[in-house]
Every structure is written in C-alpha cells, then in structure tokens.
Amino acid sequence: MEQNKKQSALTKQIELKPLSQSTKDKFKKFTHNKWVIIVLLVLIRAGAGARVIYTFTQREGFHSDESWSYGFANSYYEPYIMSNASQTKMHNYYKWTSGSVLNDYITVQKGQRFRYLSVLYNQKNDMSPPLHSMILHTICSFFPDSFSWWYSFSINIAAFFLCMSFLYLLGKKIFKSSWGGILLVAFYGFTTGALNTFVYLRMYALLTAFSVILTYLHYIMYEKKFIKIKQE
C-alpha cells in the first residue's frame, strides 16, 4: 500500500503539464520567424556543401569519362585522342606518345580560347547535350594551357547550391510550409546519392539541378492552372 502511494506521488511529479498558451505562442513565433528559417537553411546548405567539397578533396582517382569531359570541351576539333572524328582511322595508338599530346587534348591552348564551334564539333560525337562542355570550355579558356579537376568541380558546386535552393522552394510549395522545404533540403543534401552526383565530374550534377528547377516550374504552372492533370 505504501509502495503504491509512493509510485502515485512519483507519477504526479513527472507528469507532463500541458503547454501554456503563451509558450505555444512563443514557439509558433519562433518557428515562423523568417530569420530562423534563413539561418537554418544556410547552415544546412553550408554543411551539405562542405561535405561534398571535403569528399571531393579526398578522391584518389578519377573515372575515364571525367577525362573525356575535358577532351570534348577543350580539344581543338579533335573529339577522340586515339582516332579521327568518324573513328575510322587510328592515331596515337600502338606507339609511344608524348605527354604533350594528352595535355593539348584536355586543356585549352593559346589561340583556341572560347572556340565554341570546336566544342559543338566535338560534342556531336558524344551522347550528351553540349551545355556542360561549353561551360567547362569557358572556365578553362580563362586558364590556357593549364589543367585542374577543380575547373569542372566548380560547375558541380554551383549546380549543388542551385539545386538546394530550388529544392527548398519546391518543398515549401508541396508541404505548404518553410519547414517542409528545410526538411527536404536536409534529407537530400546529406544522402549518398547527392554526394555521388556532385563529386562526379560529368554533366549529371547540372542535369540534376535543371531537373529540380523544371519540376518546381511545372508545379508553379499547375498551381496557377496553366497546366492540368487529367483524371482517369
């Protein structure tokens, strides 16, 4: 009996009291404060971005397709280093080749800067749209006869933050709440999928950003009745 009384007294002590109306109002005011949302969004984007950058700096090797990105963007009317454009005649093959051949293939040389017709000529033999190659060629044209993986990675970083911005706007629209947008950004920004997308030096980071932007714009058009979804 005595034990039951002690247990009952203890239960009363730890019983949660309902929040007062003033506390609820303060919490609501805090969660709807635009500066709280902005600071939290900036911190999440910065944290996820720092994770992507750190992972990139720890890479110990690169895929051959990442080298092709530089070749298609910077080689002067020579899409393939080992053959002609139609791949009917081989060269730089079965023989010792100077390193300058590879250097000329993946870098912009003086007198060949901002030559976008060359990029289009090279890119027509690839399966990808030319936009990524043209952006990469533009960046490399400011640093002729030099090579860095960071030239291509800078495109990925810009695409990452662009993607995160529109992902927040999309989440805010879908969930009708800024916090929904923040949760969506936090969920995607720290996933392995996002990490793999934005450390890989191809056009996929840019494609991801454009896909999110396109989805957001389609949602806006649907919301404003510019487009309608047919009900079966």
Side-chain angles (χ1 to χ4, degrees):
M1 192 71 175
E2 184 68 25
Q3 185 177 359
N4 290 338
K5 288 182 179 180
K6 289 182 179 180
Q7 188 173 3
S8 177
L10 182 60
T11 302
K12 289 181 180 179
Q13 289 179 3
I14 63 174
E15 185 178 356
L16 293 177
K17 295 181 180 180
L19 295 175
S20 65
Q21 187 61 43
S22 62
T23 303
K24 291 180 180 179
D25 292 340
K26 289 180 181 178
F27 180 75
K28 184 177 181 181
K29 184 178 180 181
F30 175 79
T31 56
H32 286 74
N33 189 311
K34 68 175 183 178
W35 289 110
V36 172
I37 294 171
I38 290 173
V39 169
L40 188 58
L41 184 61
V42 168
L43 290 175
I44 291 173
R45 291 174 62 199
R51 176 172 174 260
V52 171
I53 295 172
Y54 174 77
T55 303
F56 175 77
T57 62
Q58 299 304 302
R59 289 191 60 176
E60 297 181 355
F62 293 85
H63 194 275
S64 60
D65 282 358
E66 296 172 289
S67 300
W68 284 114
S69 293
Y70 281 85
F72 283 118
N74 297 333
S75 178
Y76 193 63
Y77 289 95
E78 186 183 10
Y80 303 110
I81 192 173
M82 72 293 186
S83 70
N84 59 1
S86 60
Q87 295 185 293
T88 58
K89 185 178 180 181
M90 307 300 290
H91 57 249
N92 300 323
Y93 215 72
Y94 296 124
K95 64 178 182 179
W96 179 261
T97 303
S98 170
S100 61
V101 174
L102 177 60
N103 180 75
D104 291 348
Y105 180 70
I106 61 177
T107 64
V108 174
Q109 301 302 302
K110 293 180 179 179
Q112 301 173 2
R113 302 164 68 189
F114 307 107
R115 298 298 177 91
Y116 298 106
L117 290 179
S118 172
V119 179
L120 292 174
Y121 176 85
N122 293 340
Q123 199 65 52
K124 72 179 182 180
N125 297 283
D126 193 20
M127 295 178 288
S128 307
L131 180 60
H132 180 269
S133 292
M134 297 182 91
I135 296 174
L136 180 57
H137 177 72
T138 300
I139 295 171
C140 293
S141 291
F142 287 105
F143 308 97
D145 199 23
S146 69
F147 177 84
S148 172
W149 293 113
W150 284 89
Y151 297 159
S152 183
F153 185 60
S154 64
I155 302 174
N156 287 21
I157 287 297
F160 174 80
F161 287 110
L162 189 64
C163 177
M164 292 296 102
S165 297
F166 278 88
L167 196 62
Y168 166 75
L169 294 175
L170 179 62
K172 184 180 178 180
K173 283 287 184 182
I174 293 175
F175 297 110
K176 311 298 182 185
S177 168
S178 297
W179 290 96
I182 287 176
L183 289 175
L184 190 59
V185 168
F187 174 78
Y188 177 72
F190 288 97
T191 60
T192 303
L195 189 63
N196 288 337
T197 298
F198 291 100
V199 299
Y200 187 49
L201 304 181
R202 289 286 280 168
M203 73 296 298
Y204 305 113
L206 200 60
L207 174 64
T208 301
F210 285 153
S211 297
V212 173
I213 294 171
L214 186 63
T215 304
Y216 171 73
L217 293 177
H218 272 79
Y219 191 89
I220 292 295
M221 289 189 289
Y222 169 73
E223 195 175 49
K224 294 183 178 298
K225 309 300 183 183
F226 290 146
I227 57 176
K228 294 181 179 180
I229 298 178
K230 184 178 180 181
Q231 300 293 335
E232 295 294 339

